[in-house]
Amino acid sequence: AILLVAIGFPIALILSWAFDLTPEGVVSDQGSGVTVQRSGRRMEYVFAGLLVVAVGTLLYREFSPSEQVVEAVAEQSEQERLPNSVAVLPFTNLSTDPEEAFFAAGIHDTVLHELAKIRALNVIGRTSVLQYADGQTPIAEIAEALNVETVLEATVQYADDQVRITAQLIDPDTGAHLWSGNYDRPFKDIFSIQSEIATRIAMALEAELSPAERASIEQAPTNSPEAWAFYLKALELFPGVEQAGIPRAEEEAALAFLEQATQIDPEFALAYAHMAKIGWRGIEIRRAQIDQALALDPELGFGYLVLGLLHRSEGNATDAQTAFERALQWSPNDPDALTEYAGRKWAIGETQNAMTLVERALVLDPNSWSTYFSVGNFQLWARETAAAAMAFRRVTELSPTNLAGHLQLGLTEAALGNFSEAAEQFQLVEQLTNLEFSFHNALLAYGYSRIGRTEDAGRLFGEYQRARTTEEYSPRTRLSLEVWTSLAVGDNQAALDLLQELAEESGIGGNIETFKSNAFDDPILDQPEFVEVRRRLGFRE
């Protein structure tokens, strides 16, 4: 509407100058020389100028990248539903043995993985559909909440190496089944069942599959049903990039299942990629595993996503961006890949592109904490601190055990001067971490110092010193942690020296954007000598 007004107004204004509306009809304006008419024409100019300014202001507000992405997504959801869209609800487990429940969860995750490869589809991400696992919400309500045209329901039953899957694609407005399928086959046929479900959904939505997409969907990830079963068990414990707050013991159990899967099938690329994702293990081990995964399957979108995360942790900006681009090439509907790629776009100054990417990610996965976390960071780096706090608060609502979310929310509240709210978030982080991770201890120490709790800052500084030797970080990340802890204990000269070292390191990572923008509004970082170093990091006043 604003664009139409902006386009139509000059045309209407020119016509009003050239013609008059009279009792005889529309006639050419010859001018009467009457003073009052001239005065009225001058008033027209004044009002025209005011309207142009108003339209310009509204257009700026509409298209400014600093506006909250959440509002844009909300407005879009009020319009017509996403075309060629589907929400795949968690598959209901009908197996009588509770220990076989992992089949339903794993197969659901796999179908989503296959659908994400189809560019013509809009597939809602796993995070947003998990909240409907109890089966209590009406289909029409789910479709309205997720803004989709169709909803897929399915049940899975496994026993004695036989699997029974029943699936139906539902039109939420009429309740009609657009497609349904019943499969009662040996478990060794699970791969063909999964690919057929994905293909049938695309056909029902009249979404065109390219030959490459069809071939990728039909390609079995492993030739061993036994290896696939171990992989599904791992997914139940550690299902995806988007999950946070997973206990170390569960990660280790998932890793053990993945190792069993690769021992049975040494060419199981997807299993190697998930092994490489587990973050507490050494970089060299993880790099070897992701290299092996992509050598086995050069079209593995998830593998390129993990590779990009590894490059980012090592500070390799160009390689990280290339990997995320490849991830989107093979999995164009992956919200995590969209979000990570947005981060790289922001880092190179393409802020509008970054916002567009995270908006797309939120459309596909509106309840994704990781995307809201990125939105919060973007707003924080743009010094829109109050908006950043709203985004981080949403992260903690969607993922209550999310360490990073509570920590960023606390630091943002401290920057806003809300010290009691900040302290509450810092205490939650301490309860969730049990002081095991040096990364969190460093930022907690800094956070406590910002709200005047120097004793807590000193205590967390000590915990950081004890924990840091057990974890492996890139040089930039290590230096950034030392900057935070030096600021926490008031050693500003050490912080300046470390920040200068950080500016000399090549690559990415190490909270560069946070230091560069002084996102937490630290008065120390606004001192002239610190501003000079921040300029070397890319800060522009």
Side-chain angles (χ1 to χ4, degrees):
I2 293 170
L3 281 173
L4 290 174
V5 170
I7 294 168
F9 176 74
I11 299 171
L13 190 60
I14 291 169
L15 291 175
S16 71
W17 285 339
F19 300 95
D20 283 332
L21 183 63
T22 70
E24 289 77 24
V26 178
V27 298
S28 175
D29 184 3
Q30 302 298 326
S32 65
V34 179
T35 302
V36 68
Q37 288 182 340
R38 294 197 185 103
S39 175
R41 183 60 50 84
R42 284 195 294 271
M43 288 303 295
E44 287 178 7
Y45 297 154
V46 172
F47 284 119
L50 291 174
L51 186 54
V52 168
V53 171
V55 170
T57 301
L58 287 170
L59 285 171
Y60 170 79
R61 288 175 56 81
E62 178 71 14
F63 298 107
S64 169
S66 64
E67 290 292 278
Q68 290 190 56
V69 176
V70 179
E71 293 181 3
V73 174
E75 291 174 4
Q76 181 171 347
S77 67
E78 294 175 0
Q79 301 170 2
E80 59 186 54
R81 290 174 178 169
L82 287 170
N84 295 343
S85 55
V86 58
V88 182
L89 300 184
F91 291 3
T92 302
N93 173 49
L94 298 182
S95 302
T96 56
D97 187 349
E99 294 186 1
E100 310 295 356
F102 68 89
F103 281 104
I107 294 171
H108 172 254
D109 191 84
T110 304
V111 169
L112 283 175
H113 174 77
E114 297 300 318
L115 288 170
K117 299 176 181 178
I118 304 175
R119 191 174 299 275
L121 289 181
N122 286 304
V123 185
I124 300 301
R126 181 183 183 279
T127 311
S128 295
V129 296
L130 279 183
Q131 62 180 305
Y132 303 110
D134 59 8
Q136 301 301 310
T137 308
I139 295 296
E141 187 176 325
I142 294 172
E144 184 176 356
L146 299 179
N147 196 31
V148 291
E149 291 180 331
T150 61
V151 176
L152 181 80
E153 286 186 319
T155 62
V156 177
Q157 186 173 4
Y158 174 83
D160 300 327
D161 274 339
Q162 287 287 126
V163 62
R164 177 177 296 169
I165 298 178
T166 300
Q168 49 268 341
L169 187 66
I170 302 170
D171 181 337
D173 296 326
T174 65
H177 288 189
L178 304 177
W179 166 80
S180 62
N182 297 291
Y183 306 92
D184 196 348
R185 301 180 189 172
F187 183 68
K188 65 181 181 180
D189 292 339
I190 187 62
F191 308 118
S192 62
I193 297 173
Q194 291 168 167
S195 63
E196 184 173 337
I197 290 174
T199 303
R200 290 289 186 177
I201 291 173
M203 292 174 61
L205 293 175
E206 299 181 353
E208 184 178 352
L209 274 72
S210 69
E213 289 170 344
R214 185 179 295 275
S216 179
I217 290 172
E218 292 176 352
Q219 179 183 356
T222 174
N223 293 322
S224 169
E226 185 181 1
W228 186 246
F230 281 118
Y231 171 77
L232 295 183
K233 289 181 179 180
L235 283 191
E236 185 185 31
L237 295 171
F238 192 49
V241 172
E242 79 284 351
Q243 188 164 345
I246 299 173
R248 176 75 167 263
E250 290 193 13
E251 280 193 340
E252 291 175 345
L255 180 61
F257 285 133
L258 292 170
E259 288 175 341
Q260 287 178 282
T262 55
Q263 288 170 5
I264 296 169
D265 180 5
E267 298 185 354
F268 195 169
L270 194 55
Y272 285 116
H274 277 277
M275 291 168 69
K277 181 181 65 62
I278 297 178
W280 49 265
R281 305 167 68 233
I283 290 290
E284 293 303 321
I285 295 174
R286 298 168 66 197
R287 278 302 304 271
Q289 288 169 339
I290 197 60
D291 288 346
Q292 187 169 7
L294 293 173
L296 291 167
D297 186 356
E299 300 177 0
L300 184 61
F302 178 78
Y304 287 108
L305 173 59
V306 175
L307 178 62
L309 296 173
L310 286 174
H311 281 312
R312 189 186 66 183
S313 68
E314 294 176 301
N316 300 326
T318 302
D319 291 340
Q321 180 165 327
T322 300
F324 293 139
E325 288 171 351
R326 296 293 299 276
L328 287 172
Q329 176 185 351
W330 298 111
S331 296
N333 286 320
D334 187 336
D336 293 307
L338 287 164
T339 300
E340 295 297 341
Y341 189 42
R344 296 305 323 130
K345 286 295 186 181
W346 185 282
I348 62 176
E350 297 184 18
T351 56
Q352 183 59 65
N353 284 340
M355 286 297 194
T356 300
L357 287 163
V358 293
E359 181 178 334
R360 170 65 176 162
L362 277 179
V363 166
L364 292 177
D365 204 352
N367 294 323
S368 167
W369 73 261
S370 60
T371 307
Y372 277 102
F373 191 85
S374 292
V375 171
N377 278 333
F378 294 165
Q379 291 170 328
L380 196 61
W381 298 335
R383 300 301 296 272
E384 297 179 1
T385 316
M390 291 176 60
F392 291 132
R393 196 169 294 114
R394 182 63 176 147
V395 171
T396 61
E397 291 169 356
L398 292 169
S399 181
T401 61
N402 192 299
L403 304 175
H406 287 294
L407 187 53
Q408 285 292 84
L409 178 56
L411 291 166
T412 306
E413 294 285 15
L416 290 168
N418 302 327
F419 289 178
S420 60
E421 290 86 348
E424 181 180 348
Q425 296 302 317
F426 296 150
Q427 288 163 6
L428 279 171
V429 174
E430 288 199 60
Q431 294 170 12
L432 291 169
T433 62
N434 296 317
L435 307 179
E436 292 177 355
F437 304 102
S438 63
F439 186 90
H440 299 113
N441 288 323
L443 287 169
L444 276 173
Y446 173 74
Y448 276 126
S449 73
R450 289 298 309 277
I451 62 176
R453 293 177 55 164
T454 55
E455 289 186 7
D456 286 316
R459 173 175 57 84
L460 268 297
F461 174 77
E463 295 292 347
Y464 165 76
Q465 296 282 43
R466 282 188 286 275
R468 70 191 181 111
T469 58
T470 64
E471 296 171 17
E472 182 178 342
Y473 293 116
S474 69
R476 289 170 76 87
T477 300
R478 175 67 66 194
L479 284 170
S480 75
L481 296 181
E482 299 287 344
V483 173
W484 292 124
T485 53
S486 297
L487 290 171
V489 296
D491 193 345
N492 296 342
Q493 184 59 50
L496 180 62
D497 294 341
L498 289 161
L499 204 56
Q500 289 172 336
E501 285 188 57
L502 186 60
E504 294 169 3
E505 285 282 340
S506 61
I508 57 175
N511 292 125
I512 295 300
E513 293 293 331
T514 305
F515 288 128
K516 182 171 71 175
S517 63
N518 191 11
F520 299 129
D521 199 20
D522 191 326
I524 301 298
L525 296 181
D526 280 334
Q527 293 179 359
E529 59 272 26
F530 280 92
V531 172
E532 181 59 33
V533 181
R534 287 168 54 207
R535 286 196 186 100
R536 291 168 57 193
L537 292 171
F539 169 62
R540 294 182 180 87
E541 295 185 76

